[in-house]
Each structure stands twice: as structure tokens, then as C-alpha cells.
């Protein structure tokens, strides 16, 4: 497995400081049947979407779930959410970008992810731009970073733990409570890459401070996603950062097939994802749902069809990892110019085909 790149989110975005890029990712599942015409497609009605499909047989489960309705923690019992990060064009808005991509792949996405700093500006404010509109029919996943992007100011975890950011935290909690619908929130994902001298204990104290302030504010609709890189050689770093079961609803990691970008061996989707999946199952975390908050593959110049085949193989591999409940493709180029976009011969078509597998056709909450 290849070492993850530095600063994958450090990309330019219109209207924000050039030192940071705010990605919008989209995950997963859909119950609605789509009818595609030459210029427009139509989603099923809310009533149709709420009807759960028959429970598929999931490898690794002794029996099929009694119901496919998502749990209160937004876990789909019978399969997994299917999603993708769509590079934002802030002049058009999130909804326009997302629906344009949905048209291309012939299905509706259920979850979006957007990144926020801890400032009191639009860069930090929960529900920026048209995030709330996007959340009307999709679950929102909000990534929250302990930085202020304007000026590249890092906020120490110990400062958060001491209460120096309580005003910012409380304002965000009030907005989430007012939103009403369940919202996924992740604080400083990939903290296992920390190189500034901060400690796991400081991270846990900051994480718990945030969660506790939300709970005290009555923002019980916030669901907490604890994330790591998933870079397997870092596995001994993960447990020290874990804040405890009472503070974690989902666990996420971000696997990539870097391949030619880093001079690494080509890996299939399953080879890219499974080692970390297996580690979590065997090391005391099998009771928590897992999510790929980011994933993707580079291309193979020697084999033009390799990238399409990589995506086409996802449904079969996912059914062998039944606790992996959401996957978000990262449709972009990272700060090291590794290209994970859905480009190349037949790639969009292969991704669309995989996303129409019944395993990824789950009812919305």
C-alpha cells in the first residue's frame, strides 16, 4: 500500500482562499427508480422511495436483516450507500453540480460531503451556500477541520479542549439542531498523519469537547464519524486516537490505488480496501459501521481498460465486506497531481453500472 499524499484537499476553489479547496463528496444509495429521457430524468416519488427493497443475502451475515430501512444512525442494513465527491463550482452551486453528475450516472446520490474550517466566516459556517437545499433529499456529511483557511492558521487541539473555541462550536451546534435532520460530522479525519507534535490525548480531548457541547445544546441529530487514513502501515497509530464508543457512530478511512502516480503495484478495489477493513473487524471495531469517506484509482497507461474494470469489480468485492456501509468516490486530482477522476475509456459507464447493483439500491432515511 502506498503512502497517502500530503494535503489532498489543498486545491483552489472560487471564493475561498487558494490555500484550501473545499471538496463536495457524494455517497450512496437510492431507492428511486430513474427514467432517463433525452434531456431530463425523473426520480421516483417520496412514497416509492420509502418502500424498502427485498433484503439481499449478504456474505458474512448469518441471516438477512428483517428490514432494509436505515437505522437511526443512518446505517443501511441490506447493503451500502453509493456516492461520489463532485468538484464544486461555487458560482453554480452545490445542487446544480450534484444533479448534473446524477444525470450522467443515471441515478440519484444520497449523501454529500463538504469541508469546513473552524472560522466564523462562510468557510466554516454549517450549512454554507445551498448545503441545506442539498440535504432536503440527501444526507449531509460535514468535515470539520481545526484550521482557519484564511492565513493557514492551525488551531491546536489543546485550545479546543480548553474551551477557546466554544463560541464557534456552540453556534454550529445550534445550526445543526435547527436543521433537524440527521447530519454526519467528522472532526479532523486522517489525524494519524499528525506530524506537528500534537498527541492522541489532545485530539481525544478536543473531539470529546466538541461532541459534548453539541449534546449539551440538544443537537442530538449530529452523528459522529471518526476517520483515519486507512494507510495500513499506520495501523498501530489508530487505537490511541479512538475517543471511545460513546463518541463514535461511524468509522471512516480513505483508501486509494495510487499505482503509477507513486510507482506502486496496481491493486484491485478489494486489494486496496480489504486490509484495513479486516484490521477493523479483528481489532475490536466490528460493531461500528465503516465508510470509505474517500476512495479512487489512478489509471494504468499500459492497460486503458484497467480503471473501468476497477470500478466494475466493486459490487462483488463489497458483498465480501458486509460491514462497509458507505463508499464515496473522490472524483478529482489531489495536491500531488494523482488523478482519481472518472476519466478514460468507459470509466463513467463502469462506475454507473456498478452503482446500479441492487446492493447499492437502499431506501433513503
Amino acid at each position: 500500500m502506498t503512502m497517502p499524499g500530503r494535503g489532498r484537499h489543498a486545491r483552489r476553489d472560487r471564493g475561498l482562499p487558494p490555500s484550501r479547496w473545499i471538496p463536495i463528496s457524494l455517497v450512496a444509495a437510492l431507492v428511486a427508480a430513474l427514467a432517463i429521457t433525452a434531456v431530463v430524468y425523473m426520480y421516483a416519488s417520496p412514497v416509492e422511495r420509502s418502500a424498502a427493497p427485498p433484503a439481499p443475502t449478504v456474505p458474512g451475515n448469518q441471516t438477512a436483516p428483517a428490514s432494509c430501512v436505515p437505522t437511526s444512525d443512518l446505517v443501511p442494513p441490506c447493503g451500502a450507500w453509493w456516492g461520489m465527491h463532485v468538484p464544486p463550482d461555487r458560482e453554480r452551486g452545490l445542487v446544480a453540480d450534484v444533479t448534473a453528475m446524477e444525470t450522467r450516472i443515471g441515478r440519484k446520490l444520497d449523501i454529500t460531503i463538504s469541508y469546513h474550517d473552524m472560522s466564523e466566516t462562510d468557510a466554516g459556517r454549517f450549512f454554507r451556500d445551498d448545503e441545506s437545499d442539498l440535504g432536503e433529499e440527501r444526507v449531509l456529511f460535514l468535515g470539520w477541520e481545526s484550521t482557519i483557511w484564511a492565513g493557514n492558521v492551525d488551531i491546536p487541539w489543546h485550545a479546543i479542549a480548553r474551551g477557546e473555541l466554544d463560541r464557534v462550536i456552540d453556534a454550529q451546534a445550534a445550526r445543526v439542531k435547527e436543521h433537524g435532520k440527521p447530519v454526519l460530522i467528522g472532526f479532523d479525519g486522517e489525524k494519524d498523519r499528525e506530524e506537528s507534535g500534537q498527541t492522541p490525548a489532545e485530539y481525544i480531548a478536543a473531539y470529546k469537547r466538541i461532541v459534548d457541547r453539541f449534546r449539551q445544546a440538544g443537537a442530538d441529530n449530529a452523528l459522529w464519524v471518526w476517520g483515519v487514513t486507512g494507510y495500513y502501515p499506520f495501523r498501530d497509530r489508530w487505537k490511541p486516537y479512538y475517543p471511545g464508543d460513546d463518541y463514535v457512530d461511524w468509522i471512516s478511512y480513505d483508501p486509494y490505488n495510487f499505482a503509477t502516480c507513486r510507482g506502486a503495484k496496481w491493486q484491485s478495489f478489494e486489494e486496496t480496501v480489504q486490509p484495513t477493513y479486516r484490521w477493523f473487524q479483528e481489532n475490536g471495531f466490528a460493531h461500528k459501521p465503516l465508510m470509505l469517506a474517500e476512495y479512487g484509482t489512478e489509471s494504468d497507461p499500459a492497460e486503458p481498460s484497467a480503471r473501468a474494470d476497477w470500478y466494475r469489480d466493486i459490487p462483488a468485492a463489497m458483498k465480501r465486506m458486509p460491514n462497509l456501509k458507505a463508499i464515496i468516490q473522490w472524483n478529482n486530482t489531489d495536491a500531488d497531481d494523482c488523478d482519481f477522476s472518472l476519466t478514460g475509456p468507459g470509466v463513467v459507464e463502469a462506475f454507473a453500472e456498478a452503482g446500479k447493483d441492487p446492493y447499492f439500491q437502499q431506501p433513503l432515511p
Side-chain angles (χ1 to χ4, degrees), residues 188-265:
D188 274 357
E190 300 193 353
K191 78 284 298 169
D192 50 318
R193 297 167 55 167
E194 167 60 32
E195 296 176 347
S196 69
Q198 298 189 101
T199 67
E202 290 172 328
Y203 170 79
I204 289 172
Y207 184 108
K208 287 185 173 181
R209 180 81 179 194
I210 292 170
V211 175
D212 286 342
R213 299 293 294 188
F214 269 66
R215 290 173 175 171
Q216 291 164 15
D220 298 325
N221 53 319
L223 300 171
W224 298 96
V225 182
W226 176 81
V228 297
T229 61
Y231 178 54
Y232 196 67
F234 283 2
R235 60 192 180 278
D236 290 340
R237 304 183 184 186
W238 298 338
K239 278 190 176 182
Y241 282 97
Y242 191 66
D245 286 351
D246 290 345
Y247 287 85
V248 175
D249 298 299
W250 286 72
I251 293 173
S252 72
Y253 62 106
D254 304 339
Y256 286 90
N257 176 34
F258 288 98
T260 54
C261 180
R262 305 275 171 81
K265 177 184 176 182

Side-chain angles (χ1 to χ4, degrees), residues 1 27 80-83 230 253-259 265-278 290-298 305-330 340 342 350-351 354-355 359-360:
M1 181 178 291
V27 138
W81 303 127
W82 182 258
Y253 62 106
D254 304 339
Y256 286 90
N257 176 34
F258 288 98
K265 177 184 176 182
W266 182 270
Q267 293 183 311
S268 68
F269 174 83
E270 190 161 10
E271 290 169 335
T272 302
V273 172
Q274 190 190 56
T276 297
Y277 174 86
R278 186 171 58 246
L290 298 179
M291 170 195 303
L292 305 186
E294 302 174 8
Y295 80 96
T297 181
E298 255 283 4
S305 66
R307 180 180 266 172
D309 292 340
W310 196 90
Y311 287 108
R312 195 173 285 113
D313 291 343
I314 288 177
M318 283 289 292
K319 293 165 191 174
R320 292 188 285 271
M321 295 180 280
N323 205 34
L324 191 51
K325 292 298 184 181
I327 59 173
I328 306 173
Q329 195 275 340
W330 206 73
F340 305 109
L342 294 177
F351 181 84
Y359 195 73
F360 301 113

Side-chain angles (χ1 to χ4, degrees), residues 44-324:
S45 69
V47 172
E48 290 171 319
R49 274 211 312 271
S50 65
T57 301
V58 180
N61 286 359
Q62 294 299 314
T63 58
S67 170
C68 291
V69 174
T71 70
S72 59
D73 290 339
L74 300 180
V75 178
C78 302
W81 303 127
W82 182 258
M84 181 187 0
H85 152 65
V86 177
D89 181 339
R90 300 195 68 212
E91 291 182 356
R92 292 199 310 171
L94 302 180
V95 173
D97 289 326
V98 170
T99 54
M101 179 56 71
E102 290 172 337
T103 301
R104 289 187 68 195
I105 64 173
R107 63 158 294 162
K108 194 178 184 68
L109 298 161
D110 297 294
I111 186 170
T112 68
I113 180 169
S114 56
Y115 287 79
H116 299 255
D117 69 5
M118 294 195 82
S119 70
E120 296 181 87
T121 69
D122 283 349
R125 179 176 51 83
F126 290 169
F127 306 103
R128 180 183 57 234
D129 301 330
D130 50 354
E131 283 176 341
S132 291
D133 295 336
L134 206 61
E136 288 299 314
E137 293 185 319
R138 304 164 188 85
V139 175
L140 297 176
F141 182 7
L142 308 174
W144 205 5
E145 300 179 355
S146 59
T147 60
I148 296 177
W149 294 332
N152 289 323
V153 178
D154 291 327
I155 300 172
W157 290 331
H158 64 76
I160 298 171
R162 287 201 302 257
E164 295 178 22
L165 275 292
D166 280 358
R167 184 176 70 178
V168 174
I169 295 167
D170 293 349
Q172 299 284 52
R175 295 183 190 107
V176 169
K177 180 180 179 180
E178 183 180 3
H179 180 68
K181 299 181 66 175
V183 176
L184 297 172
I185 302 175
F187 172 65
D188 274 357
E190 300 193 353
K191 78 284 298 169
D192 50 318
R193 297 167 55 167
E194 167 60 32
E195 296 176 347
S196 69
Q198 298 189 101
T199 67
E202 290 172 328
Y203 170 79
I204 289 172
Y207 184 108
K208 287 185 173 181
R209 180 81 179 194
I210 292 170
V211 175
D212 286 342
R213 299 293 294 188
F214 269 66
R215 290 173 175 171
Q216 291 164 15
D220 298 325
N221 53 319
L223 300 171
W224 298 96
V225 182
W226 176 81
V228 297
T229 61
Y231 178 54
Y232 196 67
F234 283 2
R235 60 192 180 278
D236 290 340
R237 304 183 184 186
W238 298 338
K239 278 190 176 182
Y241 282 97
Y242 191 66
D245 286 351
D246 290 345
Y247 287 85
V248 175
D249 298 299
W250 286 72
I251 293 173
S252 72
Y253 62 106
D254 304 339
Y256 286 90
N257 176 34
F258 288 98
T260 54
C261 180
R262 305 275 171 81
K265 177 184 176 182
W266 182 270
Q267 293 183 311
S268 68
F269 174 83
E270 190 161 10
E271 290 169 335
T272 302
V273 172
Q274 190 190 56
T276 297
Y277 174 86
R278 186 171 58 246
W279 186 92
F280 277 116
Q281 300 312 293
E282 295 174 353
N283 285 273
F285 299 95
H287 59 296
K288 293 293 183 182
L290 298 179
M291 170 195 303
L292 305 186
E294 302 174 8
Y295 80 96
T297 181
E298 255 283 4
S299 60
D300 182 356
E303 183 54 67
S305 66
R307 180 180 266 172
D309 292 340
W310 196 90
Y311 287 108
R312 195 173 285 113
D313 291 343
I314 288 177
M318 283 289 292
K319 293 165 191 174
R320 292 188 285 271
M321 295 180 280
N323 205 34
L324 191 51

